[in-house]
Amino acid sequence: MLTLPRKNLLAGLFCILLGAFIAWRGRSYGIGTLEAPDPGFFPVALGTILFLCGVGLSIGALKQPDVGVELNLRPYLLIPAALVLFAVTIDRFGLIPSVALVTIVATLSLRGHSLRAVLFLTCCMIALVYVVFVLMLSMPLKPFMWRP
């Protein structure tokens, strides 16, 4: 495990940077007025709110004592790996095996799950994804296929 000092300060600085970027980019679309907002009004408003929240979070973090926080790298590695795994397997194996693999890899990112809980979550995700994307949205996804 790595330790990360002042986790809230880093999160606040990230919010400041992201909020400033969003507000800056939103200005290029035009802001308009409250009565007639242009397309950039919403991004500028949200970016400004995110910026101000980041300032508040950073100030609050500076007032607290510096305590190291353990950083678990497992979720940061396995969640992106699950997304890449889905992109690689959806066209080769079909929807159901891809969703099963992604769910299993994603649940491995956290500790303390029993095999029964992982299998139950996997079955629920397969059913939910199939119902939403294939049955309700009529997306042309094959449940199973084999393409080496």
Side-chain angles (χ1 to χ4, degrees), residues 17-35:
L17 291 174
L18 184 62
F21 177 74
I22 291 170
W24 174 69
R25 289 291 296 159
R27 287 185 56 215
S28 65
Y29 296 115
I31 297 171
T33 63
L34 285 174
E35 292 84 23

Side-chain angles (χ1 to χ4, degrees), residues 39-68:
F41 184 80
F42 193 65
V44 169
L46 287 181
T48 304
I49 291 169
L50 184 61
F51 179 84
L52 294 175
C53 288
V55 169
L57 189 62
S58 298
I59 290 172
L62 290 174
K63 292 181 180 179
Q64 295 176 350
D66 187 15
V67 177

